[in-house]
Amino acid sequence: MAATYVDISKDARIPSDIAQRTQNGEVFVIRACLQRLGLFEEIEASTIDAITHVTGQETARKLADEGIQFIHKHASLAQIAKITDRAYEIGQGNANKWISQVARNLLGIQNSYYYERTPNIRFHVPYDILAADQETLRKFSGARGGGKLSAHPNHRDSWVGCPDNLINIWAAVAPIKEGNGLIVFPEAFDQDIKHEGASIAHDENPGEPLIPELQAGDAIVFQGDHLHSSVLNRIDETRHAISFRVVTEKPNFSNGHYHHYVHSALASGPFKMFARLPADLAWSYVGTRFGWIGERLGRRARVAAKKQSNVSAKVNKLRAGKRSFRLSDLAEDSLYAITDDVCVARIGQSKVIAFDRKCPHGGSDLSLGTVTNGEVTCPWHNLRFEPKSGASACKSLSNLQMYDVIINGDQVTVSLEKSPAPSSN
Ligand code: FES
Ligand SMILES: [Fe+2]
C-alpha cells in the first residue's frame, strides 16, 4: 500500500502520534517546524557564523540580507566546502541540544532515544557549478562522504549504513523549490526494492516522486527506509538543509553499521564518553568493521509485490535498423523501452519521441522515469529533458541522443540511425 503524505500547515497542531505514524510510512511536511521548536534562528545563525569564518563578515552580511540560497553567487565551491565543514563542527557541538528539542517537542518521545551523533548539513549548489569543479567535489566527498554538496542516487538510509528504523527530520534552512528539492518515493515504501550498494538497482521503478516545496524552517519527516534522493539542482539557488536522524527504539542496522548513534540518556553528563556504546555494542557494528557480514543481517521483512515497470511496448523489428509498434499500445504520457538502449515516450495524444535510455547525468534508465508537463523526467534526480532537442536545464550535461520517429495513422516507426549529434547545450 502506498504511504500517505500529510502537510501540516503552520497553524495546525502536530499530531501527537507522529512518531508512530512516520514509522508506519506516512510522510509529513511540518510547516515552520524549526520555528515551532525554537531552533530556526540559532541554526540559521550557525550557518552565518560558518560563512563568516570562511569568507569574512562582508559576504556573511550580504548573504544574511539576500538569503543563504544565493551562497554560490558570493563563494566558490571550495569555500562552500569549507563552510560545510565549519557548519558540521558547530552542528556537532549543538547536536544534543537541538535533537532533544526535536525528539521531545516534535516527535513527542518521553523516554530515552538514540540519534545520529552529527546532524547532516547540506549545501547543494546548482549542478553546473559542481560539474565545473569536479576536483573540489571529489576531495570533499572523499573526506566527508557523498550527498553533502551533490545528489545521492535513490536510496534508503539503511543502504548507507544507517539503521532501518530511524525517523529522518529533514529541514530547510533556506527556501527549497521543486528544482532543487528532496524527493521521496512513497509508492516504494515497504516494497522489496533491489539495490546495488547504496543505490537503487538500474531496473527498479521507484514510482511517482513527491517533491514538497519548503519555506525556510519547514521540515519533511519520513521513515529513513523510504526510497529518497535529491533533485539534481537545476535552478540558480543553493539548497541548504539540515537533517536529524532519531530512533525511538534500539537502532537496527540491517545493511551495514557505519554511522554512530548516541544514547540520549548518556549524551550529556559524566558518562558522555560511553554514549555510543549501547548502539555500537552490536554484531552489526563488529561485522561491518571487519567486513564479516553481507547484506540484510536481521533486516526486517519488507515483502510486497514489486511495482510493475512500464517497459512493455510490443515492438516489431523492421529492416534497416527500424522498430515499429502501434500508437494505441502506448498510454499517454508514458515511457517504453524498445531496445536495450533506446526508449520512446508518448507525450499527450499524438507526440512520440525516441531517445537513449541512459541518463547523461548518472546513467539511470530513463524508460523508468515519468513524463511531466510534456517533458521526460529522470527517475533518480528528477531532471527534465525537453522533448525536441533532448536538452535539460543543466547546461554542462549533454543532450539526450534523439532518434527519428514517423507516425502514420496508428503505426509508429523509429529509425535507430542516430539523429545528428546533439550539441552539448
Ligand atoms: S538526473 Fe541523475 S541520473 Fe538522471
Ligand atoms: Fe538519505
Side-chain angles (χ1 to χ4, degrees):
M1 189 182 69
T4 52
Y5 162 60
V6 187
D7 196 318
I8 308 282
S9 67
K10 83 178 185 335
D11 303 315
R13 267 190 55 242
I14 296 171
S16 56
D17 56 354
I18 185 171
Q20 189 53 50
R21 288 170 62 183
T22 304
Q23 283 294 1
N24 293 342
E26 284 184 69
V27 178
F28 290 87
V29 171
I30 310 291
R31 302 293 169 184
C33 182
L34 295 181
Q35 289 87 344
R36 294 176 197 235
L37 299 173
L39 290 176
F40 180 71
E41 285 181 6
E42 190 176 343
I43 290 175
E44 188 189 44
S46 73
T47 298
I48 296 293
D49 277 359
I51 295 169
T52 308
H53 179 80
V54 174
T55 64
Q57 283 192 342
E58 201 186 318
T59 303
R61 254 198 303 271
K62 261 189 216 146
L63 286 168
D65 283 351
E66 286 173 29
I68 298 167
Q69 66 271 32
F70 299 113
I71 190 169
H72 59 278
K73 293 182 185 286
H74 300 285
S76 67
L77 187 64
Q79 287 176 312
I80 294 172
K82 285 190 185 135
I83 291 166
T84 309
D85 280 334
R86 180 66 177 170
Y88 261 85
E89 281 167 29
I90 302 173
Q92 185 156 356
N94 285 301
N96 185 38
K97 184 174 65 165
W98 291 350
I99 293 171
S100 84
Q101 285 290 87
V102 171
R104 303 283 180 226
N105 298 329
L106 172 65
L107 300 178
I109 302 171
Q110 308 292 333
N111 303 319
S112 56
Y113 54 90
Y114 292 80
Y115 64 87
E116 192 167 306
R117 76 179 164 152
T118 312
N120 282 281
I121 297 169
R122 303 168 202 277
F123 291 89
H124 278 201
V125 299
Y127 177 74
D128 289 334
I129 292 178
L130 280 186
D133 190 356
Q134 289 289 311
E135 185 55 18
T136 295
L137 176 63
R138 195 186 55 73
K139 276 199 207 136
F140 180 83
S141 303
R144 205 167 266 292
K148 311 297 183 287
L149 299 175
S150 58
H152 274 309
N154 290 8
H155 67 284
R156 290 178 163 150
D157 283 343
S158 64
W159 297 348
V160 293
C162 292
D164 62 17
N165 53 347
L166 69 84
I167 295 175
N168 199 326
I169 300 96
W170 193 100
V173 185
I176 291 177
K177 309 248 174 79
E178 205 232 352
N180 65 0
L182 177 78
I183 315 174
V184 180
F185 298 91
E187 291 172 10
F189 189 69
D190 262 342
Q191 297 211 11
D192 199 13
I193 300 278
K194 296 193 299 291
H195 61 109
E196 293 153 1
S199 169
I200 187 171
H202 277 72
D203 58 348
E204 286 284 12
N205 183 347
E208 284 291 320
L210 170 70
I211 311 171
E213 295 212 328
L214 304 175
Q215 293 301 318
D218 294 351
I220 305 176
V221 179
F222 62 101
Q223 216 278 358
D225 256 11
H226 264 292
L227 201 57
H228 58 282
S229 70
S230 295
V231 174
L232 196 69
N233 191 344
R234 59 174 187 262
I235 62 174
D236 196 18
E237 293 185 22
T238 291
R239 181 184 95 182
H240 179 33
I242 184 166
S243 63
F244 308 102
R245 293 181 176 134
V246 177
V247 191
T248 55
E249 52 203 23
K250 180 132 195 200
N252 186 50
F253 292 88
S254 53
N255 277 287
H257 184 150
Y258 291 100
H259 292 274
H260 294 296
Y261 276 68
V262 169
H263 193 285
S264 64
L266 300 174
S268 54
F271 299 111
K272 210 163 134 188
M273 76 264 280
F274 301 118
R276 276 169 41 185
L277 279 184
D280 283 354
L281 281 176
W283 283 111
S284 55
Y285 183 69
V286 179
T288 298
R289 296 289 137 176
F290 291 94
W292 289 347
I293 56 169
E295 290 186 350
R296 296 180 175 257
L297 175 67
R299 178 169 172 72
R300 285 181 303 164
R302 288 191 182 285
V303 180
K306 178 177 167 299
K307 186 169 177 276
Q308 281 291 309
S309 76
N310 56 7
V311 187
S312 58
K314 285 185 212 137
V315 180
N316 297 316
K317 289 187 183 180
L318 305 176
R319 276 176 305 156
K322 291 189 177 8
R323 296 286 186 280
S324 88
F325 41 88
R326 284 159 34 151
L327 181 62
S328 53
D329 280 344
L330 311 182
E332 284 181 29
D333 292 336
S334 295
L335 293 141
Y336 299 85
I338 60 165
T339 73
D340 286 349
D341 302 318
V342 177
C343 62
V344 294
R346 179 174 180 181
I347 298 175
Q349 262 197 332
S350 52
K351 191 189 288 181
V352 176
I353 58 170
F355 49 94
D356 272 350
R357 288 169 65 175
K358 197 167 172 186
C359 176
H361 170 238
S364 73
D365 182 352
L366 292 172
S367 76
L368 297 172
T370 49
V371 174
T372 317
N373 299 330
E375 296 191 313
V376 172
T377 305
C378 172
W380 284 8
H381 301 119
N382 212 257
L383 188 62
R384 294 177 184 176
F385 297 92
E386 193 276 314
K388 199 157 180 202
S389 62
S392 74
C394 295
K395 306 293 179 216
S396 53
L397 290 174
S398 44
N399 294 3
L400 295 180
Q401 170 66 56
M402 308 299 288
Y403 297 88
D404 289 336
V405 176
I406 295 169
I407 303 178
N408 191 355
D410 194 37
Q411 195 67 28
V412 182
T413 304
V414 175
S415 167
L416 297 178
E417 298 285 316
K418 291 190 190 245
S419 300
S423 57
S424 183
N425 54 19

